[in-house]
Amino acid sequence: RGDQDVPKGSYVRLRHLCTNTWVHSCSIPIDKDKKEKPVMHKLGAAALRDDKEAFALVPVSTQEIRDLDFANDASQVLRKLAVRMEEGSISGGEKKFIKKLLSDIIYFIMGKENTEGDALQVTGTPIRDRQKLLREQNVVAEIFHILEAPFKVIGDQPPLARLQDLGDKKHEQIRAICRLCYRAIKFSQQNYRKNQEHIANKRFPFMQKQIGYDILAEDTVTAMLNNNRKLLEDYIRSEDIEVFVKLVRQNQQARFLKHLSDLCVCNNQAIPTVQELICQKVLLDPASSDILMPTWQEDDTVYVMSCGKRRYELRELAKMARLQRKDEVEVLEYYKCQLDLYSRMCLDRQYLAINKLSRELA
């Protein structure tokens, strides 16, 4: 009977009442992409009923429905706000709303309650189903839309901001939005190869252009490549290493040396092509000598020279760092990251680095 309940888990044929046709599956993909195998296909309708065309009624939990609604709504809202940013008509209140929504997305991926704290400080393991949902519902795509929108030039209209001006106080909210975007992207691909390759295939050149403006682009790129050997070998080129070397030179911060170190390996295995590129740019190029701390020995005492050209006896430097003296803590951390970089450049008998460092440190 037509008015009877259908049990969960049943297999059914579906008839469209208005046209009296039967629903059929087909091989026409919805998510067309030349580089990725489609996972969603269109449905069609035909007058002929095929007994093999049975569809399973699979029960869905309330939480899954809520997750889908959140992702779908977030995608639509981000799209509208990105357009307003492109037009330069976005208000201060709307910028605050974008920050709140991006924070909600970060907490959503990580499966944590939004406690109104700093979303950039959230840590943990992302929920795989939610990472997948953000890709399939185009939330990741719209986050990139938000990253692109403030800097887009439309006709004769100037952009909302310029990347090089993000340090200005008047662009503080745009900078905060970009940082939240990159943190959401970082979590959306963490330990999830499908999303890593999806993002790299579509957006890697775009992210490269935003490296170096203190919006966490470099952190996100390094995190995405670090445990994916294929991406490291396919995407890292000499000019990319040059960008990171420039960041080290401009900022003289240990974390940028760590980014270079992370690019040398994947899951504790050396990537010879990347090792060689970094060796050529860091060790063998005389122009890069200013980013490295020289080490030498006089009698039985080891000395190092900071990038600021201050000489330290290594043991004394360690003692001062233990006393939490800010300058010495930073110098020692930089030196430790430099040694880690040396170690990873030499991993698995990379003799280009081994031969150079043997001479330098002998």
Side-chain angles (χ1 to χ4, degrees), residues 239-257:
E239 52 268 29
D240 303 313
I241 303 303
E242 178 64 33
V243 169
F244 281 100
V245 169
K246 285 181 179 178
L247 287 176
V248 177
R249 182 174 292 114
Q250 291 168 2
N251 299 277
Q252 294 188 357
Q253 293 178 8
R255 69 188 183 99
F256 294 109
L257 274 182

Side-chain angles (χ1 to χ4, degrees), residues 4 6 42 78 209:
Q4 283 184 324
V6 179
K42 294 182 179 181
L78 287 173
K209 292 176 183 177

